[in-house]
Amino acid sequence: MIQIPLAVYLLFLAPLTALAFGFFILRPWKPEWTHIPILISCVVVTISTAFLAAFVYSGHGLDGTLFRWMMAGDWSIVFGVRVDGIGVAVLSMVSLVGALIHFYAAGYMKGDPGFSRFFLFFHLFYLAMIGLLVSNNYVQFYLFWELVGACSYFLIAHWLHKPTARRAALQAFMTNRVGDFGLMLAVLLILARYHNTRFAMLYTIAPGMAPELLALSGFLFFWAAAAKSAQFPLYFWLPDAMEGPTPVSALMHAATMVTAGIFLLVRSWPLIGSVPGLPNFIAAVGAATAIGAALLACTQKDLKRILAYSTVSHLGLMAFALGLGQVAAALFHLVVHGFFKAALFLCAGNVAHGSGKPTVSVDEAGGLKRSLPLTYACFAIAAMSLAGVWPLAGFYSKDAILDAACERGPWAMAAGLAIAMGGALYISRMLFLTFFGPRAEQKPGEHVHEAPLIMILPVALIVVGAFSVGWLGRHFTHLLLSGWPETVPLPVLPELSAKVSGMGLAAMGCGVAISYVLTMRLPSFDWDWRRRHPGLEAAFACDLGWRKVVAWFAAVVVRGADRIGRVFDHEVLDAAIEKSADACQKLSQTGSSLATGSLSDSLWWLMTGAAALLAWAGLR
Amino acid sequence: MIWLLRPPLELLQPQAVLAVGALCVLAAGASRRVGLGLIKAMAGASVLAALLMLMTTPFWAASPPLLSSDILGWAFQGLFLCAALPLLYLMKPADEIPPALVLASVLGMGLIAVSGNLLMLFIGLEMMSLPAYLLVARSRSPQALEGAVKYFFAGSAAGAIFLMGMALHFAATGALSLEPSTDPLGIAGAFLMIATALFKLGAVPLHFWLPDVYEASDPELTAFFSTGLKAAAVLFLTRLAPLAPPWAMAWAAALTILFGALVALRQKNLQRLLAYSSISHAGFMLLAVAAWMAQGRSPRASLAVFFYLAAYLFMSTGTFLWLKTEGVSEREEMRGLGKARPLSAAALAVLLLSLAGIPPTAGFAAKFLVFWEAFKAGLYVPLILAGLGALVSLGYYLGLIRDMYFEEGTKPLASAPHPARAVVLACAIASILLGLMPWL
Amino acid sequence: MNPLVWSASATLFLFGLAALILRRELLAMFLGLELMVLAAVLALGETAARLGDSEGFVAVLLILAIAAAEAVVGLTLILRVHWSGRPPETEALRELKG
Amino acid sequence: MSAHWLTMLWALPAVGGLAALAGGRHSRWVALLVSAGTLIYSFSFPGGAVISSSPTGPFGISYSLACDGLSLSLCWLTAFLTLICVIASWKKDFTPGYWAAFLFLEAALLGVFLARDLLLFFVFWEAVLIPMFFIIGLWGMEGRRKAAMKFFLFTFFGSIFLLIGSIALVTYHHAATGIWTWDMAVLKGPSGRAGLAVFAAMAIGFAVKIPLVPLHTWLPDAHTEAPAAGSVMLAGVLLKMGIYGFVRILWPVFPQLTWQLLPWLGLAASINVIYGALCAMAQNDLKRLIAYSSVAHLGFCLLGILSRTPEGLLGGSIQMINHGLTTGTLFLLVGFLYDRGHRRGLGDYGELFRRAPWMTFFFGFTMLASIGLPGLNGFVGEFMSLLGMARALPIFALLGVVGVTLAAAYSLPAYQAVFWDAPGKGSVSHLVTDLDAREMALLSVMAGLMLLLGLYPGPLLRVMQPFLLGLVP
C-alpha cells in the first residue's frame, strides 16, 4: 500500500474539522465568528495543495484507497485518493482562488443575517470540489459531483426572501439533476460490466470496451458535463444563478463548479477520445455554445449576467479545445480562465458593494474610473487577460487553442477567431460602459466608495495570477505528464507560431475597436437599438427562444404528473375500490329486499330450491 | 361403565337419560311445589348426566339394526349437549315447559347422531324441530309468535319433502338404509332429502326462515339454534353424505357464504345481522362437508368439519350472549361502547374478529382447515368465492368494531354486571386459545 | 311400483304443495301440509305392501304418529295467532323482514 | 440459542403491551422501558443464522423461529422505530391503549420477521393489521375511520390470496414429496402452470403490502390519516413486510420461476418508481406526498431484490432499512409540524426558516437523504439496487435512474413551499415554534444514523450478506 502523504489527509480533515467546529460550537454560540476556523482551514488546504503540486511536479503519482464504502459478495466500491497531474493542476487553481474568495466573502458578507449558514455551505462546497478533484473512482466522483450541486442549490438561494433566487436555485439543481442522470447511468453501466470504475483501471480497459457501451457512456459523460459546465442544451441555469451573492458567483460559477464538467471530460478522455464521432460533436457543441453565449453577452445589461454568459462562452471554448483533441490546452485555459473570471466577478462585486445595491446594471454604472481606481485597475487587467492581450495569461491559453483550431481546418479557425473577437467585444463594452466617462443617459450612484482592504487585497492577488499564469506554460505541461498513462499520448501545449498569434491579436483588436466605437463614439447606441427593436431585445432576453422550449418541457412534465397523480390515481384506481364497495352495498340492498317477510314467499323459495336440486339430479 | 340398557342399546344411554330428565322436569312442574330454579337445575343435571354417559359409552360397539354410530356422531353429541348448557343456565322460563322442550330437542339431535337408517333420521329430525317451534313461540320478543309460525310451516314443509324423498328412496332400493342407489328414482329421492338437510342448515335458496326466527327469539335461544340446531343439520347432512354430489354442495356453499355476507352488510338489527352471518358460516360448514365428501369421507376432513363447528360454538354463543348481557339490539346503539364499557367491548371485539377469521383466533384456524380441505378436494373456484365472502363478511364485523370504538356514542356507562358476562368472557378466551391450538 | 298409486300420491303431493304456497289462510296451508305428508305415506305404504317388507309398515305407523304431533303443535300456534287478535293469514305476519 | 430466546424477543413487547394496558397513567413509561429493552435485547443476537424449531405439530405445522442477517436487521429497524415513536409521541396525553397498540404492533412485526413456519408467518402477518387498525382508527386525523377500514379490508384481500397460495404450495409440496411441512426453508414450489398460479396468488398477497402500483390506493389514505407515530411505523416497517415476503419465501421456494418472470416483475417495479414519483409531484398535502414517495422508494427495493445479483439483493435489503429511517424521520417532522400548526397542506406554511431554523435544517437534511444525495443513506440502497438491475436487465435500471431524477422534482418544490416561500393568505406559520430538546435529540440521532449508513454501510451489509448470497442463482 503506497504510503499516503499527510497532505492528502489534511485536504479532507482541515475542512471537516472547521465545518464541525463551526456548526456545532460557533453557530449556536457566536455565529459571526464562523468564518475564522474556515479561513484557517482554507490556508491549510492551500499549503497542502502546494505541497502536493511539488510532490507531483517531482514525478510521483498517487492512487490509493482509504476505506471500503459499499460491498456485496466479492465486489466492493472503495473511497480512494488519486493525485496525478490533471488533478493537481486544477486543484492548485481551485484551492488558491477558493481561499482568496473566502477572504473576500468574509468582507462582502459581513452583517448578512445568514452569515454563518453562508460560510458553512460555502466551505462544504469548497470541500466537495476538492474531494471531486482527488477522487479515484467514478462512484466517489459522483458523490462529490452531487454534493457540489446540492451546495450550489443552497448557496444560490442564500437570500431566501428573494423569490427569483429561490426559483433560480431550484432551476439550477433540477438542471444539474437532469445532467447527473447521464453520469449515474453511465457509471452504472460501466460498473455492471467491469465491476470496477477506478480511473486507473479505465485507461487499461477503455480500448477493449464494447463499442456501443463505449459510445453510450461517452455520450452520457458529455451529457452530464453539458449540465454542470453549462453547454448548449442545459446552460440556461447559469445566467439565472447570478441571483446568489457575488462570492458564490465568483467561486462557483466562474472558477470551480462549472469547470467540474470539463474536468469529468478530461478525466474520462481515454474513453471519450476513442468513440469515433464524439470529439467532433463536442467540438461543434462547444463552438456553438461559445459563439452564441458571446453574442448574448453583448446584449446583456446586468454586470454579473454579462460575466455569466462570458463563462458559458469560455466553457464552450474549452469544450471546443477538447473536441479538437487538445486536452492540455483545454486544461490550461481552464486554469487561466479560473483566475481572470474570478477577478472579474470580484470586481463586479466591489462595484455592487460600493454602490450599495445587490446587482448593478450597465445603465446605472458609469464613469467609475475616478471613484473606484483600484477596482478599475484590477478589472482592466483581468478584462484584457480575458480578451487575450499579449503579455497576459489569457493570450497564451487562448492562443494555444487557436493554434490547434488552425491546424484542424478553415471552419475551426473561423470559429476560433469568431470566439476571440466576441470575447474581446463584450468585455471591452462592459469596461467602457462601466468605468469610462458617464454618458448622458447613465445615472451614476450618488457617491460610490472604494471597497475595504479585505475585499481589494484578494482581487489584487488573483489579478496577479491572471497576469502571470500564462508564463508557466512549460511547467504546466511537465506537471500534466506525471500520472498520465503512457498508453494514451497527451498532446503537449503547442508552441506559439507568430502567424496564428498575429491573427488572434488582430481579431481581438478589431473586437475592442468595434466596442470602443459603439460605446464611446455613439453613446446612445446601447439604448437606441433596444427602443427601436423591442422584438429583437425580447428574442435576446429569452436566449433566442431556448428558454421557452425548456419552460414548455417543464410544463409538460408537471401537467403529466398532475394528470396521473390527481386524475388517474384518484378517479380511476381509487374509484375502482369505492365502486366495488358500492356494488356490495347495492347487492346487499337487493338481497335483503328478497326477504319480503311473508311466509308464502319463503315457502315458494323453499320449493324452488328443492326443484333446482331435483333438476341438478336430472342433469347428472 | 354404567349399564342402563342391554349391550346393543347402550348407544342410546345418553338419550335415555335426557328422556327421563324431561319427564322428571314435567312432573316437577306439574306438582307446582318445585321452584323454577330447581327445575332449571334438574334440566341442567340431566344434560350433565347425559354428557357423562356419553363419555363412558364405547361408541365403537356393535351397532344394532336401527342405530349406527361413528366418531363424528359421538363428537357431535358432545357439541349438542354443550350447546344446551348456556341456554338452560340463562333462560328465565315462565314455567317448567321450556326446559323440558330444550331437553326434548337435544334428545332429537342425539337420535340423529346415532340413527342408522332414514326412519330413525326422520324421527330425530322431527323430535328436534317440534320443541324448537314452541321454544320460539315462548320467547319474550313481540314477533315471537310470527317467528314460530313461519318456523313451523317451513320446518314441516321440509319434513314433508324429506318424507317424499324417503318414499322414493324406499321405492328404489327396497330398504330404508343409507346406501346410495343408482337408478333415477333413488337419486331424486336422495336430492329431496338433501334439500331438507340444506333447509335445516340454512343454505341460501332455502334460508328465508332463518333470519326471521333468529330475530324473533331471545338471544340465548338464538345461540342454541345457531350452534345446536346448525350442528345437527350438519350431522344430518353427513348422514346423507353417500347420496349427495360434492360439487353441487360446494357451489351451494360458495353461494351461501357470499349471499349471507352481502345481505348482512346493511342489516340494522343486530340479531338479524348475526343471523345472516350464521348463514354465511353455514356456507363454510357446507363447504367443509363437500370437501369431506369429495375426499371419500376421509377422517381428516371430518376433523375440519368438527373443528369448525366447535369453534363456531364458542364464537356464536359468546356473541349472542353478549347481546343479552349488554341489552343492545340495534346497530346504532353500538356507538361509543368502546369507551363506555371497555371490557365487554373488548370481549365482543375478540369474538367478532374470531367470527371474521382473523389469525390469532379460533375462527381463523377453523377457516384455515376448511380452506385446506377444500383445496385438497380440488374445489378451487368455490374456495376463491369463499375467500371473497370472508372479505365481505369482514366488512360488517369491522364495521361493528368501528362503531364501538371510533364513534362517539350515547350509551350510558356500564350497566349492572350480568351473570352471563363471565360466559361471554370465557367464550372470548376460548376462541383465542383454540386459535393457537396448532402450536400449543 | 304401481303406476296408478304413485300418480295418485304425486298429484296429492302437488295439491298439498299448491295449497301450502298459494293459499293465504294458515289453516288451509296446514291442510296442504298434511296432504303432502299423507301423499308420502301412501307411496310408502304401497311399496311396503308390494315388497311385503314389514319395515315399511313400521315406518308408516311411526310417520302417522309424528304427523299427529306436528298437527298438535301447528294448530296450537294457529290458535295463538287467532287469540292474539290477528286474522290467521300470512299477510298479518309480515313484521319480520329485510 | 434454543427456541425460547427468540420467542422472548417477540413475546417481550407482547407482554409489555398487556402491562401498558393495565398501566393507566404510567403506561407510557412502561412502553418506553419495554421498547428500549426490546431494542437492547435484539442487539444481543449474533448476526449468524440462529435456527430454533419445536417438533413439528399436526399436519406439518411447527412453531419454528429463526433469525439470520436479514431478519435481524429488520428486527433492529422495528425495535428502533418503535422506541422512536414512543419518544416522539411522549408529550401528547394518549390513553394506555395507544402505547399498548404500539407494543402489540412491534410484537407482531418481530414475529413476522422471525417466523420460519409459513402458517406462523401468516398468523403474525395478519396479527399486524389489528393494532395498526386501532392506531389509525382511534388516534388518526379527520378521515381516520374510512382510512382504517380501507387499510384493513385491502390488506385482508391480499392475505386471502396469500393464504390460498400457501395452502396450495404445501399441498403441491406434499403431492411431490409425500411429507406435510410448512417450513419455508424446506418447501419447494411446483413447476409449470400450477407453479405460476401459486406464485401469482402469494405475490398478490405480498404486492398489496409493498405496495405495487395497481394495489397501492390504501397507502396514501392510511398514511395521511394515521397519527405521526403511526405513519412512521406504517412507512418504516409495515411496507417492508411485502418485500421481506418476496425475499424470504418466494425466492427460495420458486428459484427458477422468479428468473423467468423477471421482465414482468421488473416492469411492475419500474412502474412503481415512475408512477410514485409522478403522483408525488401532483400532491399538495405533505403526508400524501411522502406516502407516494414511499411507493417510489419501495419500487427501488423491489428492483434490487428482483435482479438476483449480490449487489442487487443487498442493495434492496439495505434500501429497506434506509427507507425506514429516512421516511420515518420525514413523518416525524411532519408530525411535529402538525402538532404546532394542525395543518398538512403545502400552502398552509411559509418562510418557516425564520421561526424554526432547526426544523428547516433537519427537514432539508432528511429530504436530501430521501432524494438520494450520495453520502447520505438514501443513495447507498438505490445505487446498489440499480447496479444489480443494470447487470440483470439494463432497461429497468434506466427507468430507475429516471425515478432518481424525478425524486428531486417533487421533494424540492415541496420543501421550498413550506420552508422558504412567503406564506400565503391562510397560512399558520405564525403558530410554528422551533423544535424542543426532546425532538432535537430524536432527530439528531436519526440524522447521525443517516450520515453513518450513507458513508459507512459496511457492517450492516456484512450482517445481511449470508442469507442473501444464497439466493444468487
Side-chain angles (χ1 to χ4, degrees), chain A residues 37 84 106 129 132 173 186 204 215 231 254-255 266 273 277 297 436 468 474 560-561:
Chain A
D84 62 356
M129 196 59 206
L132 183 135
F173 190 75
T204 51
Q231 292 308 299
V266 168
F436 286 74
S468 58
R474 235 177 350 82

mmCIF file of all heavy atoms in Angstrom, chain A residues 37 84 106 129 132 173 186 204 215 231 254-255 266 273 277 297 436 468 474 560-561:
data_model
loop_
_atom_site.group_PDB
_atom_site.id
_atom_site.type_symbol
_atom_site.label_atom_id
_atom_site.label_comp_id
_atom_site.label_asym_id
_atom_site.label_seq_id
_atom_site.Cartn_x
_atom_site.Cartn_y
_atom_site.Cartn_z
ATOM 1 N N PRO A 37 -12.493 29.760 11.769
ATOM 2 C CA PRO A 37 -11.910 28.415 11.545
ATOM 3 C C PRO A 37 -11.899 28.061 10.062
ATOM 4 O O PRO A 37 -10.967 27.423 9.562
ATOM 5 C CB PRO A 37 -12.840 27.487 12.335
ATOM 6 C CG PRO A 37 -14.096 28.248 12.564
ATOM 7 C CD PRO A 37 -13.733 29.703 12.548
ATOM 8 N N ASP A 84 -2.828 13.047 -9.356
ATOM 9 C CA ASP A 84 -1.973 12.963 -10.572
ATOM 10 C C ASP A 84 -1.934 14.346 -11.227
ATOM 11 O O ASP A 84 -2.542 15.300 -10.727
ATOM 12 C CB ASP A 84 -2.538 11.890 -11.522
ATOM 13 C CG ASP A 84 -3.951 12.288 -11.964
ATOM 14 O OD1 ASP A 84 -4.447 13.348 -11.450
ATOM 15 O OD2 ASP A 84 -4.549 11.577 -12.760
ATOM 16 N N ALA A 106 -15.533 36.980 3.477
ATOM 17 C CA ALA A 106 -15.587 37.424 4.885
ATOM 18 C C ALA A 106 -15.919 38.909 4.926
ATOM 19 O O ALA A 106 -16.714 39.370 5.757
ATOM 20 C CB ALA A 106 -14.248 37.153 5.560
ATOM 21 N N MET A 129 -15.597 20.256 -3.799
ATOM 22 C CA MET A 129 -14.848 20.475 -5.049
ATOM 23 C C MET A 129 -13.475 19.821 -4.941
ATOM 24 O O MET A 129 -13.029 19.105 -5.865
ATOM 25 C CB MET A 129 -14.708 21.986 -5.295
ATOM 26 C CG MET A 129 -14.312 22.307 -6.719
ATOM 27 S SD MET A 129 -15.531 21.679 -7.885
ATOM 28 C CE MET A 129 -14.512 21.459 -9.334
ATOM 29 N N LEU A 132 -13.790 16.169 -5.207
ATOM 30 C CA LEU A 132 -14.057 15.753 -6.602
ATOM 31 C C LEU A 132 -12.767 15.654 -7.387
ATOM 32 O O LEU A 132 -12.580 14.729 -8.192
ATOM 33 C CB LEU A 132 -14.995 16.788 -7.229
ATOM 34 C CG LEU A 132 -15.494 16.588 -8.650
ATOM 35 C CD1 LEU A 132 -16.990 16.877 -8.726
ATOM 36 C CD2 LEU A 132 -14.790 17.531 -9.615
ATOM 37 N N PHE A 173 -30.610 23.350 -9.618
ATOM 38 C CA PHE A 173 -30.471 21.991 -9.074
ATOM 39 C C PHE A 173 -31.136 20.974 -10.001
ATOM 40 O O PHE A 173 -30.567 19.912 -10.295
ATOM 41 C CB PHE A 173 -31.103 21.928 -7.680
ATOM 42 C CG PHE A 173 -30.785 20.630 -6.959
ATOM 43 C CD1 PHE A 173 -29.523 20.426 -6.418
ATOM 44 C CD2 PHE A 173 -31.730 19.625 -6.879
ATOM 45 C CE1 PHE A 173 -29.219 19.227 -5.778
ATOM 46 C CE2 PHE A 173 -31.424 18.423 -6.244
ATOM 47 C CZ PHE A 173 -30.165 18.225 -5.693
ATOM 48 N N ALA A 186 -24.273 6.154 -16.788
ATOM 49 C CA ALA A 186 -23.001 5.705 -17.383
ATOM 50 C C ALA A 186 -22.214 4.910 -16.344
ATOM 51 O O ALA A 186 -21.727 3.801 -16.626
ATOM 52 C CB ALA A 186 -22.201 6.914 -17.854
ATOM 53 N N THR A 204 -6.870 1.183 -18.871
ATOM 54 C CA THR A 204 -6.469 -0.112 -19.475
ATOM 55 C C THR A 204 -7.646 -0.719 -20.235
ATOM 56 O O THR A 204 -7.490 -1.230 -21.334
ATOM 57 C CB THR A 204 -6.074 -1.090 -18.338
ATOM 58 O OG1 THR A 204 -7.172 -1.072 -17.389
ATOM 59 C CG2 THR A 204 -4.790 -0.627 -17.668
ATOM 60 N N ALA A 215 -19.749 4.079 -26.734
ATOM 61 C CA ALA A 215 -20.422 5.264 -27.301
ATOM 62 C C ALA A 215 -21.448 5.795 -26.298
ATOM 63 O O ALA A 215 -21.473 7.001 -25.983
ATOM 64 C CB ALA A 215 -21.111 4.865 -28.597
ATOM 65 N N GLN A 231 -23.163 23.699 -21.081
ATOM 66 C CA GLN A 231 -23.041 23.662 -22.544
ATOM 67 C C GLN A 231 -24.445 23.831 -23.157
ATOM 68 O O GLN A 231 -25.437 23.875 -22.417
ATOM 69 C CB GLN A 231 -22.426 22.319 -22.982
ATOM 70 C CG GLN A 231 -20.974 22.197 -22.551
ATOM 71 C CD GLN A 231 -20.145 23.397 -22.988
ATOM 72 O OE1 GLN A 231 -20.023 23.673 -24.179
ATOM 73 N NE2 GLN A 231 -19.671 24.169 -22.032
ATOM 74 N N ALA A 254 -17.670 30.552 -11.766
ATOM 75 C CA ALA A 254 -16.563 31.029 -12.612
ATOM 76 C C ALA A 254 -15.407 30.053 -12.504
ATOM 77 O O ALA A 254 -15.009 29.431 -13.485
ATOM 78 C CB ALA A 254 -16.129 32.412 -12.148
ATOM 79 N N ALA A 255 -14.936 29.847 -11.240
ATOM 80 C CA ALA A 255 -13.662 29.135 -11.115
ATOM 81 C C ALA A 255 -13.880 27.636 -10.968
ATOM 82 O O ALA A 255 -13.226 26.845 -11.649
ATOM 83 C CB ALA A 255 -12.903 29.664 -9.892
ATOM 84 N N VAL A 266 -12.133 15.548 -19.171
ATOM 85 C CA VAL A 266 -10.673 15.292 -19.246
ATOM 86 C C VAL A 266 -10.363 13.972 -18.540
ATOM 87 O O VAL A 266 -9.638 13.111 -19.048
ATOM 88 C CB VAL A 266 -9.929 16.476 -18.576
ATOM 89 C CG1 VAL A 266 -8.475 16.119 -18.379
ATOM 90 C CG2 VAL A 266 -10.069 17.728 -19.438
ATOM 91 N N GLY A 273 -12.337 9.839 -25.975
ATOM 92 C CA GLY A 273 -11.492 10.035 -27.164
ATOM 93 C C GLY A 273 -11.635 8.907 -28.152
ATOM 94 O O GLY A 273 -11.589 9.114 -29.373
ATOM 95 N N GLY A 277 -17.274 9.432 -33.402
ATOM 96 C CA GLY A 277 -17.778 10.759 -33.785
ATOM 97 C C GLY A 277 -17.799 11.746 -32.634
ATOM 98 O O GLY A 277 -17.999 12.941 -32.829
ATOM 99 N N ALA A 297 -23.907 37.720 -24.578
ATOM 100 C CA ALA A 297 -23.253 38.559 -23.555
ATOM 101 C C ALA A 297 -23.258 40.022 -23.989
ATOM 102 O O ALA A 297 -23.415 40.939 -23.169
ATOM 103 C CB ALA A 297 -21.822 38.069 -23.341
ATOM 104 N N PHE A 436 -15.597 54.104 -17.963
ATOM 105 C CA PHE A 436 -15.222 55.355 -18.629
ATOM 106 C C PHE A 436 -16.345 56.368 -18.524
ATOM 107 O O PHE A 436 -17.491 55.997 -18.242
ATOM 108 C CB PHE A 436 -14.851 55.053 -20.092
ATOM 109 C CG PHE A 436 -13.493 54.376 -20.171
ATOM 110 C CD1 PHE A 436 -13.343 53.040 -19.792
ATOM 111 C CD2 PHE A 436 -12.364 55.087 -20.536
ATOM 112 C CE1 PHE A 436 -12.100 52.425 -19.803
ATOM 113 C CE2 PHE A 436 -11.114 54.468 -20.567
ATOM 114 C CZ PHE A 436 -10.985 53.142 -20.208
ATOM 115 N N SER A 468 0.074 36.470 -14.522
ATOM 116 C CA SER A 468 1.370 35.801 -14.728
ATOM 117 C C SER A 468 1.233 34.306 -15.049
ATOM 118 O O SER A 468 2.202 33.682 -15.508
ATOM 119 C CB SER A 468 2.181 35.917 -13.422
ATOM 120 O OG SER A 468 1.364 35.296 -12.392
ATOM 121 N N ARG A 474 5.253 26.016 -19.801
ATOM 122 C CA ARG A 474 6.147 24.852 -19.876
ATOM 123 C C ARG A 474 5.999 23.989 -18.601
ATOM 124 O O ARG A 474 5.787 22.778 -18.682
ATOM 125 C CB ARG A 474 7.610 25.365 -19.996
ATOM 126 C CG ARG A 474 8.359 24.804 -21.218
ATOM 127 C CD ARG A 474 9.717 25.323 -21.407
ATOM 128 N NE ARG A 474 10.103 26.446 -20.566
ATOM 129 C CZ ARG A 474 10.550 26.300 -19.281
ATOM 130 N NH1 ARG A 474 10.596 25.065 -18.769
ATOM 131 N NH2 ARG A 474 10.874 27.357 -18.571
ATOM 132 N N GLY A 560 -48.345 16.383 -16.879
ATOM 133 C CA GLY A 560 -48.462 14.913 -16.935
ATOM 134 C C GLY A 560 -48.550 14.342 -15.532
ATOM 135 O O GLY A 560 -49.416 13.515 -15.231
ATOM 136 N N ALA A 561 -47.686 14.833 -14.657
ATOM 137 C CA ALA A 561 -47.695 14.310 -13.281
ATOM 138 C C ALA A 561 -49.035 14.601 -12.647
ATOM 139 O O ALA A 561 -49.649 13.737 -12.013
ATOM 140 C CB ALA A 561 -46.591 14.983 -12.474
#
